[in-house]
Amino acid sequence: HVMSICYQMMPFVCRWSLSSIIEHCPAVGESLMRAYEAKWTLGPGVQPFYQSDNHTGLAPASGLVAIVNLALHSKPSSRQATCQGSKPILLNVGQAAKPYPWVPRVTELALLRIGNFVIMCLPGEFTTMAGRRLRNAVHATLSPMLGADTKVVLSTICNTYSSYVTTSHEYQIQRYEAASTLYGPHTLDAYIQTAVGLAQAMVDGKPLQSVAVPDEFEGQLISFLPPVTLDTSPMGKAFGDVARQPNAFYEAGQTVEVVFQSANPRNNMRRHQTFLEVQVFNSSADAWVAVHTDDDWCTKFTWDRPKGRFSSESIVTVHWEVPDEVVHGKYRIKHYGDAKSLDGQVTAFEGTSRDFGVGAAMFTKHGVV
């Protein structure tokens, strides 16, 4: 059973009772405080910033802070400063929106249930006490239906990243995690309210409608990589040709290596597809069947320009670490790629290695018996 919801963190209203209403800081994300710059106790940070220090350190850097905030067009208002409470605002990145928002304004929370085992998927990093309080709240909601032995675990940094989450008391101290808590002292309250609502919907068997839609920035991402202009192959070679064939025979634990003449993989990232296949011959069906792709731990795909970074020629090396539980038989390696011509046209190609044997009794090192 899986349920998820997207919700807006800025602003967010926490309602604990008719007389207790807490509003999140409006349009404020991570206000980087000097404790963040001071780093954790294991090592020094940037001077003159210190952890757990709400009164000194910011003044010497106030000129630089003012210049940066002016450049970001994100000077914090007095309301924001009041809302952030004990956190002095170093950089008001929550309102920085160029070239796109610097911190998430819409986050997602999900519950995955298998029997009475529940995984809570969260976008932030929770302190021990914050995670315990969130877990206990969800457990209290689900246990009447699933039983007292219900197990709730947290899986963090899911789907987006909303930095740290502390309790309101931890927030007041302003150490590293508190200084990195994005949405003010009541951030944990928002997560608890949303998680409990999602858990209650799971108990009631009712769908819960997302109240916000995450922003989509894929088409706006800035890349410092130059675009692919041209792919070529050496004289007399074609894309997909095998530059180095596999050995005739392998045993479990050995590594198969095949090198193909290829092109820049950025021409087609092959999402939900693959750059390679390890295929075994199925004699009963008289067909080659894929048993591994680039999604498997036992395979590795490496791209290189052997003649230098400015060369238009590429090779691809495919490694397959033969698993211990491999099925003996006849195998081959297949590579899928896409080449770009000077006029910008991208053309798909394939390459296939020669057959090789995998096993012990059925094969010799001179080939398939």
Side-chain angles (χ1 to χ4, degrees):
H1 192 180
V2 179
M3 295 189 71
S4 67
I5 184 173
C6 295
Y7 55 98
Q8 187 167 323
M9 288 295 287
M10 297 186 295
F12 189 99
V13 177
C14 295
R15 303 179 184 274
W16 293 114
S17 67
L18 292 177
S19 61
S20 179
I21 297 178
I22 303 171
E23 185 174 355
H24 263 202
C25 307
V28 173
E30 185 175 40
S31 301
L32 297 177
M33 179 262 199
R34 55 182 170 273
Y36 184 87
E37 291 298 326
K39 295 297 180 184
W40 46 84
T41 1
L42 297 180
V46 180
Q47 299 298 320
F49 303 110
Y50 305 95
Q51 290 196 97
S52 309
D53 181 1
N54 298 338
H55 305 288
T56 63
L58 198 58
S62 58
L64 176 61
V65 170
I67 293 173
V68 173
N69 278 313
L70 181 64
L72 296 176
H73 303 287
S74 61
K75 182 179 179 179
S77 66
S78 58
R79 184 183 179 188
Q80 289 171 307
T82 301
C83 185
Q84 289 290 325
S86 57
K87 178 194 292 182
I89 299 175
L90 175 59
L91 296 177
N92 181 27
V93 296
Q95 285 192 333
K98 292 183 178 181
Y100 25 75
W102 287 26
V103 296
R105 302 180 180 185
V106 176
T107 56
E108 182 179 3
L109 191 151
L111 293 179
L112 290 70
R113 180 175 70 87
I114 305 173
N116 64 351
F117 180 74
V118 180
I119 303 174
M120 191 171 4
C121 302
L122 303 156
E125 297 183 72
F126 288 70
T127 62
T128 301
M129 184 54 69
R132 185 180 293 119
R133 291 181 182 178
L134 176 60
R135 184 185 61 193
N136 291 346
V138 172
H139 183 277
T141 305
L142 294 175
S143 57
M145 177 184 73
L146 303 179
D149 59 345
T150 298
K151 181 74 171 178
V152 180
V153 298
L154 275 62
S155 177
T156 58
I157 318 181
C158 296
N159 298 320
T160 188
Y161 182 64
S162 60
S163 197
Y164 285 84
V165 181
T166 64
T167 68
S168 59
H169 296 88
E170 291 170 333
Y171 186 89
Q172 305 308 317
I173 302 175
Q174 280 301 296
R175 293 185 71 84
Y176 176 81
E177 295 82 5
S180 307
T181 296
L182 299 183
Y183 309 102
H186 305 294
T187 300
L188 176 61
D189 299 332
Y191 282 105
I192 292 177
Q193 177 175 304
T194 305
V196 167
L198 193 60
Q200 189 60 53
M202 181 175 282
V203 170
D204 298 337
K206 297 179 180 179
L208 197 60
Q209 188 68 32
S210 291
V211 295
V213 178
D215 295 317
E216 175 57 62
F217 301 113
E218 185 173 0
Q220 306 174 37
L221 295 180
I222 296 175
S223 174
F224 295 98
L225 281 174
V228 180
T229 56
L230 174 66
D231 291 296
T232 61
S233 57
M235 186 73 67
K237 298 287 186 179
F239 295 112
D241 282 358
V242 180
R244 186 185 308 152
Q245 292 283 3
N247 298 334
F249 173 83
Y250 293 89
E251 295 179 353
Q254 295 182 321
T255 299
V256 180
E257 180 181 284
V258 183
V259 179
F260 293 91
Q261 197 65 49
S262 191
N264 198 313
R266 288 195 288 126
N267 292 323
N268 180 359
M269 298 305 291
R270 297 193 161 267
R271 293 179 179 172
H272 308 294
Q273 296 177 310
T274 182
F275 286 103
L276 66 93
E277 284 181 348
V278 178
Q279 299 180 338
V280 64
F281 185 72
N282 186 325
S283 56
S284 59
D286 193 26
W288 289 94
V289 180
V291 290
H292 297 292
T293 67
D294 57 18
D295 193 42
D296 289 290
W297 288 106
C298 60
T299 61
K300 183 167 67 174
F301 175 86
T302 306
W303 172 77
D304 188 26
R305 290 198 185 277
K307 294 184 179 180
R309 60 185 300 182
F310 298 109
S311 171
S312 57
E313 296 181 12
S314 302
I315 61 169
V316 155
T317 304
V318 176
H319 289 97
W320 175 40
E321 296 179 2
V322 182
D324 292 337
E325 65 278 8
V326 66
V327 175
H328 296 176
K330 184 166 62 174
Y331 286 79
R332 69 182 187 183
I333 305 294
K334 194 153 190 176
H335 166 48
Y336 299 91
D338 300 85
K340 190 174 187 178
S341 59
L342 195 57
D343 61 2
Q345 184 176 353
V346 176
T347 305
F349 64 86
E350 300 178 2
T352 307
S353 75
R354 70 185 180 192
D355 307 348
F356 56 90
V358 174
M362 296 175 56
F363 305 92
T364 72
K365 293 186 178 180
H366 301 289
V368 182
V369 173

